[in-house]
Amino acid sequence: MDHKLNLKKQLACIYTSDLFSGLRITDAVWVALLAARGFSLWEIGLAESVYHIVSLFCEVPSGMAADLLGRRKTLLSGGVLTVTCNLLMAFAPNLFTICLAMGLNALAMTMFSGTFTALVYDSLKTEGREDEYIQVSANSSQISMLANAIGSLASLLKRFLGFAGFYLLSAAFEGVSTAALALMEEPIVTAAQANREKHALRTLPEQFRQLVRDSLHVLHTCPMAGKLIASSALISVPSYLTKMFLQQRLVELGWPTELLFLPLLLGGLACVAGTEIGRRVRCRSMRRLYTACALLCGVGTLLVGAAPAWGGILGMMLVQGVLEVYLLHESQKLNDAIPSDQRATLISVDSMAYSLLMIPASPLVGAVGDAFGQAGAGLALLGGVIVLSGVALLGKKPQES
């Protein structure tokens, strides 16, 4: 397809959206804000459960919608839902409204997860510049990470903003992000994408069925795609769990709760550093890269589970940084391996695979910790599993990719 777009403008819109959507000023304080309004911990936990349930069931359908209806339309819909969610939270009178807002937020996030990556990659592909994806993705990630760090400082404004103020300001930031998305162009790289507008609504069910068949065909005929999806899901399991259980370990080791922000801050800096390293690493074999990253992630997870306080923090930083290196290259290779017409769908499958592993992994790691009376016991076991997944590839012949 000979469809050109203004790539400079497209990237400016993408980075602007990253910046303002990354200023998630409610993320660090939403539990405290709800508790201050009188909601109990089980009610807050119920709202969080609603979020994850909606995420699980909507992840792949949202990617399919992006492939069939357009990535720009899907992103705009997600942006509008995010603004709506923040407005609902600002004025929520009861638990039902809170759960509704959390569900809408989860639906919005699924609209972004695979779609944004697909739009970025295909925007580059329209200009024949797919090999620059790692650089653009690294820029995007670092802007989001820095925005997250700035947004976390908003907790200092709690006495001035109040509950509604936080969510109204967040809605304003998301509104700017959505406006940037509206200025983007839809990248067109295949004939099917060019003909989206010509399809009648009554044909959508059959199109969805065909997209499912085509996506399954890609996974069947492209073993590399399935291996990449499985590898990223497995190696990503320690990402959240190391941050989550490290806090409990530090409390067990005598750290005051006032200092628990420090590991999160250092973990964020490690992510930025990992992204910078990742963009400079030249990957000739994903098998070799996985082996190295799995060994490092496994060791880092073991440190979080068994080392003294600062050793655990360094272990968590190692996990976060190494994951950024691997996932940056995994995303490039996966996008290279899959067709544009099924891109958002298969990237959503990539995201869902991680969620499916996290469903059993989270309680199992916690249960092992409870059984041994130490929060780090489950992490030590998880670290061993990740190390073994890397060791298992050591004796195999590297595949060039």
Side-chain angles (χ1 to χ4, degrees), residues 150-165:
I150 295 171
S152 67
L153 298 177
S155 60
L156 301 174
L157 303 176
K158 183 179 178 182
R159 59 181 296 186
F160 303 107
L161 289 178
F163 184 87

Side-chain angles (χ1 to χ4, degrees), residues 40-352:
S40 64
L41 290 179
W42 81 263
E43 289 175 321
I44 296 172
L46 176 63
E48 179 74 3
S49 296
V50 169
Y51 178 93
H52 289 291
I53 291 170
V54 173
S55 294
L56 181 63
F57 283 100
C58 295
E59 183 68 58
V60 173
S62 67
M64 295 173 68
D67 282 330
L68 290 178
L69 304 177
R71 283 74 183 267
R72 179 176 173 274
K73 288 181 179 178
T74 304
L75 290 176
L76 283 174
S77 299
V80 171
L81 282 177
T82 306
V83 173
T84 303
C85 162
N86 280 281
L87 293 176
L88 279 175
M89 289 291 286
F91 301 108
N94 51 44
L95 179 62
F96 174 81
T97 310
I98 296 291
C99 289
L100 174 62
M102 293 290 285
L104 290 178
N105 189 39
L107 177 58
M109 292 302 102
T110 63
M111 289 180 171
F112 281 96
S113 60
T115 308
F116 203 83
T117 299
L119 183 140
V120 171
Y121 189 89
D122 278 346
S123 294
L124 293 168
K125 191 168 185 177
T126 61
E127 300 294 313
R129 295 166 62 177
E130 306 98 299
D131 58 341
E132 297 178 26
Y133 173 76
I134 282 185
Q135 302 301 323
V136 173
S137 180
N139 292 339
S140 180
S141 295
Q142 289 182 330
I143 290 171
S144 294
M145 291 170 191
L146 292 174
N148 282 333
I150 295 171
S152 67
L153 298 177
S155 60
L156 301 174
L157 303 176
K158 183 179 178 182
R159 59 181 296 186
F160 303 107
L161 289 178
F163 184 87
F166 267 99
Y167 282 99
L168 289 174
L169 184 56
S170 180
F173 289 148
E174 293 293 347
V176 175
S177 174
T178 304
L181 296 175
L183 295 174
M184 292 194 304
E185 300 176 56
E186 178 72 23
I188 304 294
V189 297
T190 69
Q193 292 172 355
N195 292 324
R196 281 178 184 139
E197 301 295 335
K198 299 178 182 179
H199 295 303
L201 288 176
R202 66 176 180 275
T203 66
L204 277 179
E206 177 55 31
Q207 290 181 60
F208 269 96
R209 286 190 287 270
Q210 186 60 46
L211 179 57
V212 171
R213 290 191 289 267
D214 291 341
S215 299
L216 291 174
H217 178 72
V218 171
L219 291 175
H220 177 70
T221 58
C222 182
M224 171 64 74
K227 291 176 181 178
L228 288 169
I229 290 171
S231 70
S232 68
L234 179 59
I235 201 172
S236 295
V237 169
S239 175
Y240 178 71
L241 293 178
T242 50
K243 292 188 290 186
M244 175 179 167
F245 287 103
L246 176 62
Q247 294 185 24
Q248 181 59 31
R249 276 215 69 218
L250 292 176
V251 171
E252 291 176 353
L253 293 171
W255 273 49
T257 55
E258 291 82 3
L259 292 179
L260 292 181
F261 78 93
L262 185 59
L264 295 178
L265 178 62
L266 293 175
L269 293 175
C271 287
V272 173
T275 303
E276 191 61 32
I277 293 171
R279 76 158 86 222
R280 299 172 186 275
V281 169
R282 185 175 181 182
C283 175
R284 297 187 177 183
S285 167
M286 286 301 295
R287 176 171 288 175
R288 284 178 176 171
L289 183 63
Y290 180 84
T291 298
C293 290
L295 292 174
L296 290 171
C297 276
V299 170
T301 305
L302 285 166
L303 287 173
V304 176
W310 282 103
I313 292 173
L314 290 174
M316 182 271 295
M317 293 175 66
L318 179 62
V319 170
Q320 303 303 319
V322 169
L323 278 177
E324 292 299 326
V325 174
Y326 183 76
L327 295 178
L328 197 61
H329 287 274
E330 184 268 344
S331 182
Q332 171 81 65
K333 297 297 183 182
L334 179 60
N335 274 288
D336 290 344
I338 59 180
S340 290
D341 287 335
Q342 294 86 41
R343 192 178 309 285
T345 301
L346 292 173
I347 296 172
S348 293
V349 172
D350 189 28
S351 299
M352 191 181 72

